[in-house]
Amino acid sequence: MATSMDTPQIREENFVSAYVHFPYCESKCHYCDFFSFAESKFDAVARGTIYNAIAQEARQFKGDGLGDLTTVFLGGGTPSLVPIDDLATALTPLGLSSCSEVTIEANPSSITEEKARQWLALGINRVSMGVQALDDARLKWLGRVHGVAAAHTALEALGNAGFKNVSIDYILGVPGQGIDTIRRELESFIPLFPHIQHVSAYLLTLKNSNPKCTELPSEEEQIDHLMEANRVLTGLGFHHYEISNYARPGRAAFHNENYWLGGGYVGIGPSAHGFWPQAGIRTKNVSNLERYRMHVVTGNHPWEWTERLTPEQKALEFLMLRLRRASGFKLEEYTAATGESFVAHRQPRLERAVKQGLAHWDSQGVRLTTRGLFLSDQITSDFA
């Protein structure tokens, strides 16, 4: 829990980004670990009270001195379900005119051309769409509410409305998928929609308690899926700039880049996280709708806890985040962030990773190979 000593002051911080969490979705996918609820469990009035609280929290941050932002990301849940007036109320305090990138997460089934035009009018200029699979049987296995046809229709609607920067999510490591399927689906689908500028191709992860967990392919098969997606997407002109992310030139997700580079961001909405880099503090909002609302309406930040990072935590987070990026990090960046030499106590481990074809290391810095990126958790643990 937060203490007075751990309560950061916004005027001491330079924030670049804001993450806004909307907790309602059409249905809860069995693989989803985010704080979200099927909207059918709440009536419009109940949902409206949470949307109002989110807007009030945004106003509170602005009143505390939040400066101009560069990126805003609307996540969830499914923000594309939020009524346009509620979206406008929540976004207005954040001053989107200063932002170069404002992203809304959306499911194909909740996208229409009219809605897309309204988003553009609000200042939203990027859509991250959960395609997830390009096969109806696989979508059903994943518990998705849309079919492949809906993905086509939604992308056509976004293009007709004027969106030039769309990202799609595509899940790998699904039982029965196979590398031939991955190649065929991506090569036939992506060229149809030139406004797809970014692809997040990531492995399906399930809790051990999930009964479907035993159906997942082996780790080596999962690596094969990742490598095949890499071959196809780079062949289509996308740059592999982070473990799971591919972008056309100039279309990397700036919001996520800020996370990976250790930049500051405020978290708005139930369960949202924030980071105050100058204070070295992380915050997490309460993961309870009513408690969240009560904190906000009484004028308090709805933090469930704040955490002041130790030097050891800062060093580990630097490695964990920078080694996610294909460009890795410069040795002097590690020294500046931690006060220590990265190589001094790690040379044998570095040499082993290089010999195994998992990393590149020279006098300038360290970065992982393509295969190394897909094993970054293991490598980071070894380097820590």
Side-chain angles (χ1 to χ4, degrees), residues 27-48:
S27 66
K28 183 77 171 178
C29 296
H30 67 79
Y31 58 84
C32 177
D33 288 332
F34 294 112
F35 182 74
S36 60
F37 305 90
E39 67 170 4
S40 59
K41 295 184 178 180
F42 303 83
D43 61 28
V45 173
R47 297 196 300 271

Side-chain angles (χ1 to χ4, degrees), residues 31-94:
Y31 58 84
C32 177
D33 288 332
F34 294 112
F35 182 74
S36 60
F37 305 90
E39 67 170 4
S40 59
K41 295 184 178 180
F42 303 83
D43 61 28
V45 173
R47 297 196 300 271
T49 62
I50 298 301
Y51 296 149
N52 288 336
I54 291 169
Q56 187 168 341
E57 188 186 5
R59 290 193 295 271
Q60 183 178 349
F61 270 116
K62 203 65 176 179
D64 286 347
L66 182 67
D68 290 345
L69 299 169
T70 301
T71 72
V72 172
F73 194 99
L74 313 178
T78 308
S80 53
L81 294 173
V82 180
I84 195 69
D85 289 344
D86 291 310
L87 269 181
T89 303
L91 291 177
T92 297
L94 298 178

Side-chain angles (χ1 to χ4, degrees), residues 235-248:
L236 290 171
F238 290 80
H239 171 58
H240 185 203
Y241 73 99
E242 191 269 346
I243 294 173
S244 303
N245 288 284
Y246 299 78
R248 296 199 185 276

Side-chain angles (χ1 to χ4, degrees), residues 62-359:
K62 203 65 176 179
D64 286 347
L66 182 67
D68 290 345
L69 299 169
T70 301
T71 72
V72 172
F73 194 99
L74 313 178
T78 308
S80 53
L81 294 173
V82 180
I84 195 69
D85 289 344
D86 291 310
L87 269 181
T89 303
L91 291 177
T92 297
L94 298 178
L96 300 192
S97 61
S98 66
C99 293
S100 60
E101 180 187 277
V102 182
T103 302
I104 186 169
E105 285 188 333
N107 280 338
S109 53
S110 58
I111 294 175
T112 65
E113 186 174 331
E114 178 185 6
K115 191 181 288 187
R117 293 184 188 280
Q118 292 173 331
W119 294 340
L120 281 169
L122 283 182
I124 297 168
N125 56 20
R126 182 175 183 270
V127 175
S128 178
M129 193 173 95
V131 172
Q132 313 302 15
L134 292 167
D135 173 82
D136 284 339
R138 210 158 73 247
L139 285 166
K140 184 177 180 180
W141 188 93
L142 289 166
R144 302 293 292 175
V145 298
H146 71 273
V148 176
H152 282 258
T153 301
L155 281 162
E156 289 170 358
L158 291 172
N160 291 339
F163 272 96
K164 306 297 185 185
N165 190 7
V166 174
S167 175
I168 64 168
D169 290 349
Y170 181 77
I171 297 179
L172 303 164
V174 182
Q177 192 171 20
I179 60 174
D180 290 341
T181 299
I182 293 165
R183 181 171 58 254
R184 182 182 68 254
E185 290 181 347
L186 293 177
E187 287 182 343
S188 62
F189 184 79
I190 290 177
L192 296 175
F193 305 102
H195 47 301
I196 295 178
Q197 298 288 300
H198 189 280
V199 178
S200 294
Y202 59 95
L203 282 176
L204 174 65
T205 56
L206 300 175
K207 291 181 178 179
N208 290 335
S209 58
N210 191 311
K212 291 180 179 286
C213 190
T214 59
E215 302 177 38
L216 296 182
S218 68
E219 180 177 298
E220 195 55 41
E221 288 177 297
Q222 292 174 2
I223 296 293
D224 287 344
H225 283 202
L226 290 164
M227 294 295 287
E228 183 63 19
N230 179 277
R231 281 190 289 270
V232 174
L233 291 169
T234 55
L236 290 171
F238 290 80
H239 171 58
H240 185 203
Y241 73 99
E242 191 269 346
I243 294 173
S244 303
N245 288 284
Y246 299 78
R248 296 199 185 276
R251 292 302 195 181
F254 300 133
H255 184 88
N256 289 341
E257 284 277 79
N258 182 52
Y259 291 158
W260 301 322
L261 292 171
Y265 52 93
V266 294
I268 298 170
S271 84
H273 289 250
F275 180 53
W276 309 58
Q278 289 173 255
I281 287 177
R282 295 203 177 279
T283 64
K284 179 190 175 295
N285 285 357
V286 294
S287 298
N288 177 285
L289 295 179
E290 182 56 23
R291 284 175 55 213
Y292 168 78
R293 188 188 69 82
M294 288 301 299
H295 276 291
V296 173
V297 299
T298 54
N300 297 309
H301 283 294
W303 294 325
E304 182 175 298
W305 51 256
T306 68
E307 176 188 32
R308 190 180 297 276
L309 300 181
T310 65
E312 293 77 17
Q313 286 174 312
K314 290 179 182 178
L316 178 60
E317 287 202 1
F318 181 96
L319 288 181
M320 179 182 69
L321 295 173
R322 293 301 183 95
L323 288 177
R324 294 185 64 91
R325 304 173 73 245
S327 57
F329 62 88
K330 296 184 183 301
L331 296 178
E332 62 263 28
E333 290 175 332
Y334 183 84
T335 301
T338 68
E340 299 178 351
S341 165
F342 179 73
V343 177
H345 305 294
R346 298 178 176 86
Q347 187 162 335
R349 285 173 279 172
L350 272 168
E351 291 173 347
R352 182 170 64 246
V354 171
K355 186 175 181 179
Q356 292 171 337
L358 302 177

